[in-house]
Amino acid sequence: MQRGAMPLLINAMHNNIDKEAPMSDEADVANDNIERNRMAAIEACRRQPTLPAKGSCWFCEETLPPNHKFCDSDCASDYELEQAAWARAGRPRGPGDVYAEQ
Ligand SMILES: [Zn+2]
């Protein structure tokens, strides 16, 4: 008989129960935030004249015709979300700093 295993198990179960109710609320809030961020990102991208076209997608690096910055609005908004995430992390990435560490 392994003494000590039961209290740990019970603790784990309690932790799960404690977390469950607030978790779903937080998930809803997070989803709302993601949706709001996404809309804001799309808006921000439309208003981003500084980003130069470089012959490939800024997000996925797919080769593009001249004067195109992104393959589609998904890449554009994902790029903006990524930029926002980097900014929140305190490490904003500028143009030319593409996927260096991935
Ligand atoms: Zn792309």
Side-chain angles (χ1 to χ4, degrees):
M1 181 68 174
Q2 291 182 351
R3 293 186 59 83
M6 266 316 256
L8 280 178
L9 190 63
I10 290 165
N11 272 343
M13 287 167 66
H14 272 287
N15 283 341
N16 279 340
I17 290 162
D18 287 347
K19 277 176 192 161
E20 219 152 87
M23 273 278 279
S24 58
D25 282 351
E26 281 171 23
D28 285 348
V29 171
N31 277 340
D32 280 356
N33 282 340
I34 288 166
E35 188 56 32
R36 230 171 281 137
N37 282 344
R38 199 171 174 83
M39 297 311 289
I42 292 166
E43 273 307 302
C45 204
R46 290 198 183 116
R47 287 184 266 104
Q48 193 171 52
T50 53
L51 195 65
K54 60 171 186 161
S56 59
C57 176
W58 277 97
F59 185 70
C60 73
E61 298 300 309
E62 183 147 320
T63 304
L64 294 175
N67 298 323
H68 282 64
K69 300 173 190 176
F70 300 101
C71 346
D72 54 25
S73 59
D74 276 349
C75 273
S77 62
D78 283 349
Y79 177 82
E80 277 303 314
L81 287 176
E82 192 188 60
Q83 291 292 303
W86 278 98
R88 275 198 301 275
R91 296 175 56 190
R93 296 198 310 175
D97 195 14
V98 181
Y99 285 112
E101 60 273 281
Q102 281 186 19

Coordinates of all heavy atoms in Angstrom, one line a residue:
M1 N 0.9 -1.2 0.0 CA 0.0 0.0 0.0 C 0.9 1.2 0.0 O 1.7 1.4 0.9 CB -0.9 0.0 1.3 CG -1.8 1.1 1.4 SD -3.1 1.1 0.1 CE -4.1 2.5 0.6
Q2 N 0.7 2.1 -0.9 CA 1.5 3.3 -1.0 C 0.8 4.4 -0.2 O -0.2 5.0 -0.7 CB 1.7 3.7 -2.4 CG 2.6 2.8 -3.2 CD 2.9 3.3 -4.6 OE1 2.2 4.2 -5.0 NE2 3.8 2.7 -5.3
R3 N 1.3 4.7 0.9 CA 0.7 5.8 1.7 C 1.1 7.1 1.1 O 2.2 7.3 0.6 CB 1.1 5.7 3.2 CG 0.6 4.5 3.9 CD 0.9 4.5 5.4 NE 0.4 5.7 6.0 CZ -0.9 5.8 6.5 NH1 -1.7 4.8 6.3 NH2 -1.3 6.9 7.1
G4 N 0.2 8.0 1.0 CA 0.5 9.3 0.5 C 0.0 9.5 -0.9 O -0.2 10.6 -1.4
A5 N -0.3 8.4 -1.6 CA -0.9 8.6 -2.9 C -2.3 9.1 -2.9 O -2.6 10.0 -3.8 CB -0.8 7.2 -3.7
M6 N -3.1 8.7 -2.0 CA -4.5 9.1 -2.0 C -4.6 10.6 -1.8 O -5.3 11.3 -2.5 CB -5.3 8.4 -0.9 CG -6.0 7.1 -1.4 SD -6.8 7.3 -2.9 CE -8.5 7.4 -2.4
P7 N -4.0 11.2 -0.8 CA -4.2 12.7 -0.6 C -3.8 13.4 -1.8 O -4.5 14.4 -2.2 CB -3.2 13.0 0.6 CG -3.1 11.7 1.3 CD -3.2 10.6 0.3
L8 N -2.7 13.0 -2.5 CA -2.3 13.7 -3.8 C -3.4 13.6 -4.8 O -3.8 14.6 -5.4 CB -1.1 13.1 -4.3 CG 0.3 13.5 -3.7 CD1 1.4 12.7 -4.3 CD2 0.4 15.0 -3.8
L9 N -4.0 12.4 -4.9 CA -5.1 12.2 -5.9 C -6.3 13.1 -5.6 O -6.8 13.8 -6.4 CB -5.5 10.7 -5.9 CG -6.4 10.3 -7.0 CD1 -5.8 10.5 -8.3 CD2 -6.9 8.8 -6.8
I10 N -6.6 13.1 -4.3 CA -7.8 14.0 -3.9 C -7.5 15.4 -4.2 O -8.3 16.1 -4.7 CB -8.1 13.7 -2.4 CG1 -8.7 12.3 -2.2 CG2 -9.0 14.8 -1.9 CD1 -8.7 11.8 -0.8
N11 N -6.2 15.8 -3.9 CA -5.9 17.2 -4.2 C -6.0 17.5 -5.6 O -6.6 18.6 -6.0 CB -4.4 17.5 -3.8 CG -4.3 17.9 -2.3 OD1 -5.3 18.3 -1.7 ND2 -3.1 17.8 -1.7
A12 N -5.6 16.6 -6.5 CA -5.7 16.8 -7.9 C -7.1 16.9 -8.3 O -7.5 17.8 -9.1 CB -5.0 15.6 -8.6
M13 N -8.0 16.1 -7.8 CA -9.4 16.1 -8.1 C -10.0 17.5 -7.7 O -10.7 18.1 -8.4 CB -10.2 15.0 -7.5 CG -9.9 13.6 -8.1 SD -10.5 12.3 -7.2 CE -12.2 12.5 -7.2
H14 N -9.6 17.9 -6.5 CA -10.1 19.2 -6.0 C -9.7 20.3 -6.9 O -10.5 21.2 -7.2 CB -9.7 19.4 -4.5 CG -10.6 18.8 -3.5 ND1 -11.8 19.4 -3.2 CD2 -10.4 17.7 -2.7 CE1 -12.4 18.6 -2.3 NE2 -11.6 17.6 -2.0
N15 N -8.4 20.3 -7.3 CA -7.9 21.3 -8.2 C -8.8 21.4 -9.4 O -9.1 22.4 -9.9 CB -6.5 21.1 -8.5 CG -5.6 21.5 -7.3 OD1 -6.0 22.2 -6.5 ND2 -4.4 21.0 -7.3
N16 N -9.0 20.2 -10.0 CA -9.8 20.2 -11.2 C -11.2 20.8 -11.0 O -11.7 21.6 -11.8 CB -10.0 18.7 -11.7 CG -8.7 18.3 -12.5 OD1 -8.0 19.2 -12.9 ND2 -8.5 17.0 -12.6
I17 N -11.8 20.4 -9.9 CA -13.2 20.9 -9.6 C -13.2 22.4 -9.4 O -14.0 23.1 -10.0 CB -13.8 20.2 -8.4 CG1 -14.1 18.7 -8.7 CG2 -15.0 20.9 -7.9 CD1 -14.2 17.8 -7.5
D18 N -12.2 22.8 -8.7 CA -12.1 24.3 -8.4 C -11.9 25.1 -9.7 O -12.5 26.1 -9.9 CB -10.9 24.6 -7.5 CG -11.2 24.1 -6.1 OD1 -12.4 23.9 -5.8 OD2 -10.3 24.1 -5.2
K19 N -11.2 24.5 -10.6 CA -10.8 25.2 -11.8 C -12.0 25.2 -12.8 O -12.1 26.1 -13.6 CB -9.6 24.7 -12.5 CG -8.3 25.2 -11.9 CD -7.1 24.5 -12.5 CE -5.8 24.8 -11.7 NZ -4.8 23.8 -12.1
E20 N -12.8 24.2 -12.8 CA -13.7 24.0 -13.9 C -14.7 25.1 -14.2 O -14.7 25.6 -15.3 CB -14.5 22.7 -13.8 CG -14.6 21.9 -15.1 CD -14.7 20.4 -14.8 OE1 -15.8 20.0 -14.7 OE2 -13.7 19.7 -14.8
A21 N -15.4 25.6 -13.1 CA -16.4 26.6 -13.4 C -15.8 27.9 -13.9 O -16.2 28.3 -15.0 CB -17.1 26.8 -12.1
P22 N -14.8 28.5 -13.3 CA -14.2 29.7 -13.8 C -13.5 29.5 -15.2 O -13.6 30.4 -16.0 CB -13.2 30.1 -12.8 CG -13.1 29.0 -11.8 CD -14.2 28.1 -12.0
M23 N -13.0 28.3 -15.4 CA -12.3 28.0 -16.7 C -13.2 28.3 -17.9 O -12.8 29.0 -18.8 CB -11.8 26.6 -16.7 CG -10.5 26.3 -16.1 SD -9.1 26.7 -17.2 CE -9.1 25.2 -18.2
S24 N -14.4 27.8 -17.8 CA -15.3 28.0 -19.0 C -15.6 29.4 -19.2 O -15.7 29.9 -20.3 CB -16.6 27.1 -18.8 OG -17.3 27.5 -17.7
D25 N -15.8 30.2 -18.1 CA -16.1 31.6 -18.3 C -14.9 32.3 -18.9 O -15.0 33.1 -19.8 CB -16.3 32.2 -16.9 CG -17.7 32.0 -16.4 OD1 -18.5 31.4 -17.2 OD2 -18.0 32.2 -15.3
E26 N -13.7 31.9 -18.4 CA -12.5 32.6 -18.9 C -12.3 32.2 -20.4 O -11.9 33.1 -21.2 CB -11.2 32.1 -18.2 CG -11.1 32.8 -16.8 CD -10.0 32.2 -16.0 OE1 -9.1 31.5 -16.6 OE2 -10.0 32.4 -14.8
A27 N -12.7 31.0 -20.8 CA -12.6 30.6 -22.2 C -13.5 31.4 -23.0 O -13.1 31.9 -24.1 CB -12.9 29.1 -22.3
D28 N -14.7 31.7 -22.5 CA -15.6 32.5 -23.3 C -15.0 33.9 -23.4 O -15.1 34.5 -24.5 CB -17.0 32.6 -22.5 CG -17.8 31.4 -22.7 OD1 -17.4 30.5 -23.5 OD2 -18.8 31.2 -22.0
V29 N -14.5 34.5 -22.4 CA -13.9 35.8 -22.4 C -12.8 35.8 -23.4 O -12.6 36.7 -24.2 CB -13.5 36.3 -21.0 CG1 -12.7 37.5 -21.1 CG2 -14.7 36.4 -20.1
A30 N -12.0 34.8 -23.3 CA -10.8 34.7 -24.2 C -11.3 34.6 -25.7 O -10.7 35.3 -26.5 CB -10.0 33.4 -23.9
N31 N -12.3 33.9 -25.9 CA -12.8 33.8 -27.3 C -13.3 35.2 -27.8 O -13.1 35.6 -28.9 CB -14.0 32.8 -27.4 CG -13.5 31.4 -27.6 OD1 -12.3 31.2 -28.0 ND2 -14.3 30.4 -27.2
D32 N -14.0 35.9 -26.9 CA -14.4 37.2 -27.2 C -13.2 38.1 -27.6 O -13.2 38.8 -28.5 CB -15.2 37.8 -26.1 CG -16.6 37.3 -26.0 OD1 -17.0 36.6 -26.9 OD2 -17.3 37.7 -25.1
N33 N -12.2 38.0 -26.7 CA -11.0 38.8 -27.0 C -10.4 38.5 -28.3 O -9.9 39.4 -29.0 CB -10.0 38.6 -25.8 CG -10.4 39.4 -24.6 OD1 -11.2 40.3 -24.7 ND2 -9.9 39.0 -23.4
I34 N -10.3 37.2 -28.6 CA -9.7 36.7 -29.8 C -10.4 37.3 -31.0 O -9.8 37.9 -31.9 CB -9.6 35.2 -29.9 CG1 -8.5 34.7 -28.9 CG2 -9.3 34.8 -31.3 CD1 -8.6 33.2 -28.7
E35 N -11.7 37.2 -30.9 CA -12.6 37.7 -32.0 C -12.4 39.2 -32.1 O -12.2 39.8 -33.2 CB -14.0 37.4 -31.7 CG -14.9 37.7 -32.9 CD -14.5 37.0 -34.2 OE1 -14.0 35.9 -34.1 OE2 -14.7 37.6 -35.3
R36 N -12.3 39.9 -31.0 CA -12.2 41.4 -31.0 C -10.8 41.7 -31.6 O -10.6 42.6 -32.4 CB -12.4 42.0 -29.6 CG -13.3 43.1 -29.7 CD -13.7 43.6 -28.2 NE -14.7 42.7 -27.6 CZ -14.6 42.3 -26.3 NH1 -13.6 42.7 -25.6 NH2 -15.5 41.5 -25.8
N37 N -9.8 41.0 -31.1 CA -8.4 41.2 -31.6 C -8.3 41.0 -33.1 O -7.6 41.8 -33.8 CB -7.4 40.3 -30.9 CG -7.1 40.8 -29.5 OD1 -7.3 41.9 -29.1 ND2 -6.5 39.9 -28.7
R38 N -9.0 40.0 -33.5 CA -9.0 39.7 -35.0 C -9.5 40.8 -35.8 O -9.0 41.2 -36.8 CB -9.7 38.4 -35.2 CG -9.4 37.7 -36.5 CD -10.0 36.3 -36.5 NE -9.8 35.7 -37.9 CZ -8.7 35.1 -38.2 NH1 -7.7 35.0 -37.3 NH2 -8.5 34.7 -39.4
M39 N -10.7 41.3 -35.4 CA -11.3 42.4 -36.1 C -10.4 43.6 -36.1 O -10.2 44.3 -37.1 CB -12.7 42.8 -35.5 CG -13.7 41.6 -35.5 SD -13.8 40.9 -37.2 CE -14.6 42.2 -38.1
A40 N -9.8 43.9 -34.9 CA -8.9 45.0 -34.8 C -7.7 44.8 -35.7 O -7.2 45.8 -36.3 CB -8.5 45.2 -33.3
A41 N -7.2 43.6 -35.7 CA -6.0 43.3 -36.5 C -6.3 43.6 -38.0 O -5.5 44.1 -38.7 CB -5.6 41.9 -36.3
I42 N -7.5 43.1 -38.4 CA -7.8 43.3 -39.8 C -7.9 44.8 -40.1 O -7.4 45.3 -41.1 CB -9.2 42.7 -40.2 CG1 -9.0 41.1 -40.1 CG2 -9.7 43.1 -41.6 CD1 -10.3 40.4 -40.0
E43 N -8.5 45.6 -39.2 CA -8.6 47.0 -39.4 C -7.2 47.6 -39.4 O -6.9 48.5 -40.3 CB -9.4 47.6 -38.2 CG -10.9 47.7 -38.5 CD -11.2 48.3 -39.8 OE1 -10.8 49.5 -40.0 OE2 -11.8 47.7 -40.7
A44 N -6.4 47.2 -38.4 CA -5.0 47.8 -38.3 C -4.2 47.5 -39.6 O -3.5 48.3 -40.1 CB -4.3 47.2 -37.1
C45 N -4.5 46.3 -40.2 CA -3.7 46.0 -41.4 C -4.1 46.8 -42.6 O -3.3 47.2 -43.4 CB -4.0 44.5 -41.7 SG -2.7 43.8 -42.6
R46 N -5.4 47.1 -42.7 CA -5.8 48.0 -43.7 C -5.2 49.4 -43.6 O -5.0 50.1 -44.6 CB -7.4 48.1 -43.7 CG -8.0 46.9 -44.1 CD -9.5 47.1 -44.5 NE -10.2 45.8 -44.8 CZ -11.2 45.4 -44.0 NH1 -11.6 46.0 -43.0 NH2 -11.7 44.2 -44.4
R47 N -4.9 49.8 -42.4 CA -4.4 51.1 -42.1 C -2.9 51.0 -41.9 O -2.3 51.8 -41.2 CB -5.0 51.7 -40.9 CG -6.4 52.1 -41.1 CD -7.1 52.9 -39.9 NE -7.8 51.9 -39.1 CZ -7.3 51.5 -37.9 NH1 -6.1 51.9 -37.5 NH2 -8.0 50.7 -37.2
Q48 N -2.2 50.1 -42.5 CA -0.8 49.9 -42.3 C 0.0 50.2 -43.6 O 0.5 49.3 -44.3 CB -0.4 48.5 -41.8 CG 1.0 48.4 -41.3 CD 1.2 47.1 -40.6 OE1 0.9 46.1 -41.1 NE2 1.7 47.2 -39.4
P49 N 0.2 51.5 -43.9 CA 0.9 51.8 -45.2 C 2.4 51.6 -45.1 O 3.1 51.6 -46.1 CB 0.5 53.3 -45.4 CG 0.3 53.8 -44.0 CD -0.2 52.7 -43.2
T50 N 2.9 51.5 -43.9 CA 4.4 51.4 -43.7 C 4.9 50.1 -44.1 O 6.1 50.0 -44.5 CB 4.7 51.7 -42.3 OG1 4.0 50.8 -41.4 CG2 4.4 53.2 -41.9
L51 N 4.2 49.0 -44.0 CA 4.7 47.7 -44.3 C 4.9 47.6 -45.8 O 4.0 47.7 -46.6 CB 3.7 46.7 -43.9 CG 4.2 45.2 -43.8 CD1 5.3 45.1 -42.7 CD2 3.1 44.3 -43.5
P52 N 6.1 47.4 -46.3 CA 6.4 47.4 -47.7 C 6.0 46.0 -48.3 O 6.1 45.0 -47.6 CB 7.9 47.6 -47.8 CG 8.4 47.1 -46.5 CD 7.3 47.3 -45.5
A53 N 5.7 46.0 -49.5 CA 5.5 44.7 -50.3 C 6.9 44.2 -50.5 O 7.8 44.9 -50.9 CB 4.8 44.9 -51.6
K54 N 7.2 42.9 -50.3 CA 8.5 42.4 -50.4 C 8.6 41.2 -51.4 O 9.6 40.5 -51.4 CB 9.1 42.0 -49.0 CG 8.3 41.0 -48.3 CD 8.9 40.5 -47.1 CE 8.2 39.3 -46.5 NZ 9.0 38.5 -45.6
G55 N 7.5 41.0 -52.1 CA 7.5 39.9 -53.1 C 7.1 38.6 -52.5 O 7.0 37.6 -53.2
S56 N 6.9 38.5 -51.2 CA 6.3 37.3 -50.6 C 5.4 37.7 -49.4 O 5.5 38.8 -48.9 CB 7.5 36.4 -50.1 OG 8.3 37.0 -49.2
C57 N 4.6 36.7 -49.0 CA 3.7 37.0 -47.9 C 4.5 37.3 -46.6 O 5.4 36.5 -46.2 CB 2.8 35.8 -47.7 SG 1.6 35.9 -46.3
W58 N 4.1 38.3 -45.9 CA 4.7 38.7 -44.6 C 4.5 37.6 -43.6 O 5.2 37.5 -42.6 CB 4.3 40.0 -44.1 CG 5.0 41.2 -44.7 CD1 4.6 41.9 -45.8 CD2 6.3 41.7 -44.3 NE1 5.6 42.8 -46.1 CE2 6.6 42.7 -45.2 CE3 7.2 41.3 -43.3 CZ2 7.8 43.5 -45.1 CZ3 8.4 42.1 -43.2 CH2 8.6 43.1 -44.1
F59 N 3.4 36.9 -43.7 CA 3.1 35.9 -42.7 C 3.6 34.5 -43.0 O 4.3 33.9 -42.2 CB 1.6 35.8 -42.4 CG 1.2 34.9 -41.3 CD1 1.5 35.3 -40.0 CD2 0.6 33.7 -41.5 CE1 1.2 34.5 -38.9 CE2 0.3 32.9 -40.5 CZ 0.6 33.2 -39.2
C60 N 3.3 34.0 -44.2 CA 3.7 32.6 -44.5 C 4.8 32.5 -45.5 O 5.2 31.4 -45.9 CB 2.5 31.8 -44.9 SG 1.9 32.2 -46.6
E61 N 5.3 33.6 -46.0 CA 6.5 33.6 -46.9 C 6.2 33.1 -48.3 O 7.1 32.8 -49.0 CB 7.6 32.8 -46.3 CG 8.1 33.4 -45.0 CD 8.6 34.8 -45.1 OE1 9.5 35.1 -46.0 OE2 8.2 35.7 -44.4
E62 N 4.9 32.9 -48.6 CA 4.6 32.4 -49.9 C 4.9 33.5 -50.9 O 4.7 34.7 -50.7 CB 3.1 32.1 -50.0 CG 2.7 31.5 -51.3 CD 1.6 30.5 -51.2 OE1 1.6 29.7 -50.3 OE2 0.7 30.5 -52.1
T63 N 5.5 33.1 -52.1 CA 5.8 34.0 -53.1 C 4.6 34.7 -53.7 O 3.6 34.0 -53.9 CB 6.6 33.3 -54.2 OG1 7.7 32.7 -53.7 CG2 7.1 34.3 -55.3
L64 N 4.6 36.0 -53.8 CA 3.5 36.8 -54.3 C 3.9 37.7 -55.4 O 5.1 38.0 -55.6 CB 3.0 37.7 -53.1 CG 2.4 37.0 -51.9 CD1 2.1 38.0 -50.8 CD2 1.2 36.2 -52.3
P65 N 2.9 38.1 -56.2 CA 3.2 39.1 -57.2 C 3.7 40.4 -56.6 O 3.4 40.6 -55.4 CB 1.8 39.3 -57.9 CG 0.9 38.2 -57.4 CD 1.5 37.7 -56.1
P66 N 4.3 41.2 -57.4 CA 4.8 42.5 -56.8 C 3.7 43.3 -56.2 O 2.5 43.2 -56.7 CB 5.4 43.2 -58.1 CG 5.7 42.1 -59.0 CD 4.7 41.0 -58.8
N67 N 4.0 44.1 -55.2 CA 3.0 45.0 -54.6 C 1.9 44.2 -53.7 O 1.0 44.8 -53.3 CB 2.3 45.9 -55.6 CG 3.3 46.8 -56.3 OD1 4.2 47.2 -55.7 ND2 3.1 47.0 -57.6
H68 N 2.1 42.9 -53.5 CA 1.3 42.2 -52.6 C 2.0 41.9 -51.3 O 3.2 41.5 -51.4 CB 0.8 40.9 -53.2 CG -0.3 41.0 -54.2 ND1 -0.1 41.7 -55.4 CD2 -1.6 40.6 -54.2 CE1 -1.2 41.7 -56.1 NE2 -2.1 41.0 -55.4
K69 N 1.4 42.2 -50.2 CA 2.0 42.0 -48.9 C 1.6 40.7 -48.3 O 2.4 40.1 -47.5 CB 1.6 43.1 -47.9 CG 2.1 44.5 -48.4 CD 1.5 45.6 -47.5 CE 1.7 46.9 -48.2 NZ 1.1 48.0 -47.3
F70 N 0.4 40.2 -48.5 CA -0.1 39.0 -48.0 C -0.9 38.2 -49.0 O -1.4 38.8 -50.0 CB -1.1 39.3 -46.8 CG -0.4 40.0 -45.7 CD1 -0.6 41.4 -45.6 CD2 0.4 39.4 -44.8 CE1 0.0 42.1 -44.6 CE2 1.0 40.1 -43.8 CZ 0.8 41.5 -43.6
C71 N -1.0 36.9 -48.9 CA -1.8 36.1 -49.8 C -3.2 36.4 -49.7 O -3.9 36.4 -50.7 CB -1.6 34.6 -49.6 SG -0.3 34.0 -48.6
D72 N -3.7 36.6 -48.5 CA -5.1 36.8 -48.3 C -5.4 37.5 -46.9 O -4.4 37.7 -46.2 CB -5.9 35.5 -48.4 CG -5.4 34.4 -47.4 OD1 -4.8 34.8 -46.4 OD2 -5.6 33.2 -47.7
S73 N -6.6 37.7 -46.6 CA -6.9 38.5 -45.4 C -6.6 37.6 -44.2 O -6.3 38.2 -43.1 CB -8.4 38.9 -45.4 OG -9.2 37.8 -45.5
D74 N -6.6 36.3 -44.3 CA -6.2 35.5 -43.2 C -4.8 35.7 -42.8 O -4.4 35.9 -41.6 CB -6.5 34.0 -43.5 CG -7.9 33.6 -43.3 OD1 -8.6 34.4 -42.7 OD2 -8.3 32.5 -43.7
C75 N -3.9 35.6 -43.8 CA -2.5 35.9 -43.5 C -2.3 37.3 -42.9 O -1.5 37.5 -42.0 CB -1.7 35.7 -44.8 SG -1.2 34.0 -45.0
A76 N -3.0 38.2 -43.5 CA -2.9 39.6 -43.0 C -3.2 39.7 -41.6 O -2.5 40.3 -40.8 CB -3.7 40.5 -43.9
S77 N -4.4 39.2 -41.2 CA -4.8 39.3 -39.8 C -4.0 38.5 -38.9 O -3.7 38.9 -37.8 CB -6.3 38.9 -39.7 OG -6.5 37.6 -40.0
D78 N -3.5 37.3 -39.4 CA -2.7 36.5 -38.5 C -1.3 37.2 -38.3 O -0.8 37.1 -37.2 CB -2.4 35.1 -39.2 CG -3.6 34.2 -39.0 OD1 -4.5 34.5 -38.3 OD2 -3.6 33.1 -39.7
Y79 N -0.8 37.8 -39.3 CA 0.4 38.6 -39.1 C 0.2 39.7 -38.1 O 1.1 39.8 -37.2 CB 0.8 39.2 -40.5 CG 2.1 40.0 -40.4 CD1 3.3 39.5 -40.4 CD2 2.0 41.4 -40.3 CE1 4.5 40.2 -40.3 CE2 3.1 42.2 -40.2 CZ 4.3 41.6 -40.2 OH 5.5 42.4 -40.1
E80 N -0.9 40.4 -38.2 CA -1.2 41.4 -37.2 C -1.3 40.9 -35.8 O -0.7 41.5 -34.8 CB -2.4 42.2 -37.6 CG -2.2 43.3 -38.6 CD -1.1 44.2 -38.2 OE1 -1.2 44.7 -37.0 OE2 -0.3 44.6 -39.0
L81 N -2.0 39.7 -35.7 CA -2.1 39.1 -34.4 C -0.7 38.7 -33.8 O -0.4 38.9 -32.6 CB -3.0 37.9 -34.4 CG -4.5 38.2 -34.6 CD1 -5.2 36.9 -34.8 CD2 -5.0 38.9 -33.4
E82 N 0.1 38.2 -34.7 CA 1.5 37.8 -34.3 C 2.3 39.0 -33.8 O 2.9 39.0 -32.8 CB 2.2 37.1 -35.5 CG 3.4 36.4 -35.1 CD 4.2 36.0 -36.3 OE1 4.6 36.8 -37.1 OE2 4.4 34.8 -36.4
Q83 N 2.1 40.1 -34.6 CA 2.8 41.3 -34.2 C 2.4 41.8 -32.9 O 3.2 42.2 -32.0 CB 2.6 42.4 -35.3 CG 3.2 42.2 -36.6 CD 4.8 42.2 -36.5 OE1 5.3 43.2 -36.1 NE2 5.4 41.1 -36.8
A84 N 1.0 41.8 -32.7 CA 0.4 42.2 -31.4 C 1.0 41.3 -30.3 O 1.3 41.8 -29.2 CB -1.1 42.2 -31.5
A85 N 1.1 40.0 -30.5 CA 1.5 39.1 -29.5 C 3.0 39.4 -29.2 O 3.4 39.4 -28.0 CB 1.4 37.6 -30.0
W86 N 3.8 39.7 -30.2 CA 5.2 40.0 -29.9 C 5.3 41.3 -29.2 O 6.1 41.5 -28.3 CB 6.0 40.1 -31.2 CG 6.4 38.8 -31.8 CD1 5.8 38.1 -32.7 CD2 7.5 38.0 -31.4 NE1 6.4 36.9 -32.9 CE2 7.5 36.9 -32.1 CE3 8.6 38.3 -30.4 CZ2 8.5 35.9 -32.0 CZ3 9.5 37.3 -30.3 CH2 9.5 36.1 -31.0
A87 N 4.4 42.3 -29.5 CA 4.5 43.6 -28.8 C 4.1 43.4 -27.3 O 4.7 44.0 -26.5 CB 3.5 44.5 -29.5
R88 N 3.1 42.5 -27.1 CA 2.7 42.2 -25.7 C 3.8 41.6 -25.0 O 4.0 41.8 -23.8 CB 1.4 41.3 -25.7 CG 0.1 42.1 -25.8 CD -1.0 41.3 -25.3 NE -1.1 40.0 -26.1 CZ -1.8 39.9 -27.2 NH1 -2.3 41.0 -27.8 NH2 -1.9 38.8 -27.9
A89 N 4.6 40.7 -25.7 CA 5.7 40.0 -25.0 C 6.9 41.0 -24.9 O 7.9 40.6 -24.4 CB 6.1 38.8 -25.9
G90 N 6.8 42.2 -25.3 CA 7.9 43.2 -25.2 C 9.0 43.0 -26.2 O 10.0 43.5 -26.1
R91 N 8.7 42.2 -27.3 CA 9.7 42.0 -28.3 C 9.1 42.3 -29.7 O 8.9 41.4 -30.5 CB 10.2 40.6 -28.3 CG 10.9 40.3 -27.0 CD 11.3 38.8 -27.0 NE 12.1 38.5 -28.1 CZ 12.5 37.2 -28.4 NH1 12.0 36.2 -27.7 NH2 13.2 36.9 -29.5
P92 N 8.8 43.5 -30.0 CA 8.2 43.8 -31.3 C 9.1 43.5 -32.4 O 10.3 43.7 -32.3 CB 7.9 45.3 -31.2 CG 8.8 45.8 -30.1 CD 9.0 44.7 -29.2
R93 N 8.6 42.9 -33.4 CA 9.4 42.5 -34.6 C 9.2 43.5 -35.7 O 8.0 43.8 -36.0 CB 9.1 41.1 -35.0 CG 9.4 40.1 -34.0 CD 9.5 38.7 -34.6 NE 8.4 38.4 -35.4 CZ 8.3 37.3 -36.1 NH1 9.2 36.4 -36.1 NH2 7.2 37.0 -36.8
G94 N 10.2 44.0 -36.2 CA 10.0 44.9 -37.3 C 10.1 44.2 -38.7 O 10.4 43.0 -38.7
P95 N 9.8 44.9 -39.8 CA 10.0 44.3 -41.1 C 11.4 43.8 -41.3 O 12.3 44.5 -40.9 CB 9.6 45.5 -42.0 CG 8.8 46.4 -41.2 CD 9.2 46.2 -39.8
G96 N 11.6 42.7 -41.9 CA 12.9 42.2 -42.1 C 13.3 41.2 -41.1 O 14.3 40.5 -41.2
D97 N 12.6 41.1 -40.0 CA 12.9 40.3 -38.8 C 12.0 39.1 -38.9 O 11.4 38.7 -37.9 CB 12.7 41.1 -37.6 CG 13.4 40.4 -36.4 OD1 14.2 39.5 -36.6 OD2 13.1 40.8 -35.2
V98 N 12.0 38.4 -40.0 CA 10.9 37.4 -40.3 C 11.4 36.0 -39.9 O 12.3 35.5 -40.5 CB 10.5 37.4 -41.7 CG1 9.4 36.4 -42.0 CG2 10.1 38.8 -42.1
Y99 N 10.7 35.4 -38.9 CA 10.9 34.0 -38.6 C 12.3 33.6 -38.3 O 12.7 32.5 -38.5 CB 10.3 33.1 -39.7 CG 8.8 33.1 -39.7 CD1 8.1 33.6 -40.7 CD2 8.1 32.5 -38.6 CE1 6.7 33.6 -40.7 CE2 6.8 32.4 -38.6 CZ 6.1 33.0 -39.6 OH 4.7 33.0 -39.6
A100 N 13.1 34.6 -37.8 CA 14.5 34.3 -37.6 C 14.7 33.2 -36.6 O 15.5 32.3 -36.7 CB 15.2 35.5 -37.1
E101 N 13.8 33.1 -35.6 CA 14.0 32.2 -34.5 C 13.0 31.0 -34.5 O 12.8 30.4 -33.5 CB 14.0 32.9 -33.1 CG 12.7 33.6 -32.8 CD 12.7 35.0 -33.4 OE1 13.4 35.9 -32.8 OE2 12.1 35.3 -34.4
Q102 N 12.4 30.7 -35.6 CA 11.5 29.6 -35.6 C 11.9 28.5 -36.5 O 12.5 28.7 -37.6 CB 10.1 30.1 -36.1 CG 9.4 30.8 -34.9 CD 8.0 31.2 -35.3 OE1 7.4 30.6 -36.2 NE2 7.4 32.1 -34.5
Ligands
ZN1 ZN 0.4 34.0 -46.6

